[in-house]
Amino acid sequence: MTKVRSVDVGGAAPYRIRIGPGLLDDSAQLAAHARGRHALLVSDDHVAPLYAERVAAALQAAQPELQVATLVMAAGEAHKTLASLGEVIDALATLGATRDATVYALGGGVIGDMAGFAAACWMRGVDCVQLPTTLLSMVDSSVGGKTAVDIPQGKNLVGAFHPPRAVIADTATLRTLPARELRAGLAEVIKYGALGDPEFFAWLEQQREPLLASDDAALAEAIARSCEHKAAIVERDPLEKGERALLNLGHTFGHAIEAEQGYSGAGRDALVHGEAVAVGMVLAARLSAMLGMAPHTDTEHLRSLLLAYGLPVDLPAGLAPQALLERMRLDKKNLAGRLRLVLWRGIGKAEVVPDVDEARVLEVLAG
Ligand code: NAD
Ligand code: GLY
């Protein structure tokens, strides 16, 4: 018998994350979250041919009176734009979606963030159900309600907090995920150990082989434990007034890399989001050691684990340190024009450090 795991996210707008194989075929569950007459299923052109018809049919079977439209976007970070957001809004208008409509986001974090943002904007907010199909979106982006699109000046700079109504993670979809994207998702899993859970970090050191081989039980455990970490933090701090910022370990560096590459992830030399976060975590650890906050041995420990998972740990060639620093100045965590970074005291002990000396950041970026 297949096991479905649940993680509940509490707070003002509580919801359940369900994790297990075959959940996209559970038509009653999928349709249970559609309150009104309209459902817009948003996906991308890699994921839609694999799963969209099944989801649309399941919704229709459970609720024959539901008007279901499907919108397929071009895949990839380069399409997480205001223009794509406009396409989702147009589709909602064409559907005649009323305030009780539901947006179903079927795909990775790009679709989840963009469709989630459209749901936040349409008529000042309609329901969004997240149907994550990448490991990264199952362990991170589908949970917590951050939605956004990128602009050339920076990543996720235009967005809203809009918690999903439900998250349904069908782990069977991971069987079609390219190996590189699986590894990128594992970077965000490692992040939870690095920022606050040394025991999970040690577990990940032991579980490398089953996780990289997409072993169902190991992946389910990694997803559930990651979601428990994220749920606990976003429940206490949904709007990132405090500790939620810790979830951004490695992200200020990582986002700067992605923006500087022009969001061309999965291109020949460009990093995808999870890979950029892997490099970013090593840079944050290195800076922490340079500032005397943490032992160098912990940087090496983190670097070794990321390498063991086949992840990049060094800045890609050709990115200028000064240009990356300029990007970092537009990070959402900064206050009063000063760099505010998530650094650490060692494995499992991340903290937010205000007013970081830019000269030291440049030193780290210059290697
Ligand atoms: P993605 O959405 O681009 O998906 C990666 C690739 O895998 C895409 O080409 C996609 O088409 C393909 N794909 C997805 N599922 C598949 C499947 N089951 N089978 C085959 N191919 C599949 O990238 P991602 O890594 O999922 O998400 C990255 C995005 O998430 C970034 O934009 C990042 O900023 C965002 N993010 C948001 C949050 C948040 O809290 N909102 C957190 C972390 C990351
Ligand atoms: N991925 C960071 C956050 O959700 O806050």
Side-chain angles (χ1 to χ4, degrees):
M1 192 163 130
T2 53
K3 193 175 167 207
V4 177
R5 303 163 79 131
S6 297
V7 177
D8 287 322
V9 185
Y15 53 95
R16 176 161 290 179
I17 307 164
R18 298 178 80 239
I19 304 155
L23 292 178
L24 289 184
D25 295 316
D26 186 342
S27 49
Q29 253 313 314
L30 287 173
H33 302 290
R35 288 188 297 123
R37 281 293 174 98
H38 304 107
L40 178 67
L41 176 62
V42 185
S43 192
D44 73 30
D45 57 8
H46 296 163
V47 177
L50 298 169
Y51 306 111
E53 212 171 292
R54 251 168 70 194
V55 173
L59 283 171
Q60 207 70 82
Q63 274 204 42
E65 71 288 0
L66 195 65
Q67 291 178 48
V68 184
T70 301
L71 175 67
V72 180
M73 321 282 300
E77 189 72 37
H79 301 283
K80 193 175 131 182
T81 58
L82 286 167
S84 299
L85 174 74
E87 284 183 50
V88 188
I89 297 293
D90 281 347
L92 283 162
T94 305
L95 181 63
T98 46
R99 260 209 169 137
D100 50 6
T102 307
V103 172
Y104 286 84
L106 174 70
V110 166
I111 288 296
D113 279 13
M114 188 166 50
F117 187 32
C121 297
W122 182 249
M123 297 196 173
R124 301 202 181 94
V126 297
D127 288 342
C128 180
V129 175
Q130 293 281 347
L131 306 176
T133 63
T134 61
L135 180 62
L136 188 141
S137 56
M138 290 182 191
V139 301
D140 195 351
S141 60
S142 65
V143 177
K146 276 189 182 175
T147 71
V149 294
D150 306 327
I151 56 174
Q153 293 87 335
K155 232 181 105 74
N156 295 336
L157 288 184
V158 188
F161 285 99
H162 187 63
R165 188 162 163 78
V167 180
I168 300 172
D170 183 341
T171 49
T173 61
L174 297 177
R175 289 180 198 141
T176 58
L177 190 67
R180 180 178 177 187
E181 299 295 349
L182 184 87
R183 290 196 297 270
L186 286 165
E188 297 274 20
V189 175
I190 291 169
K191 178 190 76 177
Y192 292 108
L195 75 89
D197 188 347
E199 196 241 318
F200 188 41
F201 192 93
W203 182 82
L204 288 165
E205 287 183 310
Q206 291 151 11
Q207 296 294 317
R208 186 183 74 89
E209 279 184 27
L211 284 171
L212 285 176
S214 289
D215 174 79
D216 287 338
L219 278 177
E221 179 69 13
I223 295 166
R225 285 175 81 164
S226 299
C227 286
E228 280 160 10
H229 274 294
K230 182 145 186 189
I233 291 180
V234 300
E235 205 172 298
R236 292 190 293 263
D237 181 21
L239 303 180
E240 199 169 308
K241 305 274 188 219
E243 68 172 313
R244 182 167 180 169
L246 299 179
L247 294 172
N248 281 313
L249 179 65
H251 282 58
T252 307
F253 289 104
H255 285 171
I257 295 168
E258 287 184 85
E260 201 49 24
Q261 289 177 332
Y263 311 112
S264 53
R268 220 181 10 217
D269 301 318
L271 302 185
V272 297
H273 176 74
E275 293 170 336
V277 168
V279 174
M281 286 194 289
V282 173
L283 293 173
R286 214 170 260 158
L287 179 59
S288 307
M290 189 186 271
L291 295 173
M293 287 176 59
H296 285 284
T297 45
D298 282 30
T299 309
E300 280 317 307
H301 205 152
L302 172 64
R303 196 170 174 277
S304 307
L305 183 63
L306 293 166
L307 276 174
Y309 274 89
L311 286 157
V313 292
D314 296 311
L315 273 177
L319 296 182
Q322 188 62 43
L324 289 167
L325 179 64
E326 298 289 338
R327 298 279 184 186
M328 292 173 74
R329 289 194 181 123
L330 210 53
D331 185 84
K332 294 187 292 306
K333 284 180 296 304
N334 296 341
L335 293 175
R338 313 288 299 176
L339 278 191
R340 201 164 151 264
L341 296 179
V342 184
L343 301 179
W344 75 355
R345 300 254 166 218
I347 291 161
K349 289 175 282 186
E351 69 182 51
V352 178
V353 180
D355 226 349
V356 180
D357 183 355
E358 290 192 355
R360 309 311 297 271
V361 176
L362 265 181
E363 253 179 84
V364 164
L365 289 170

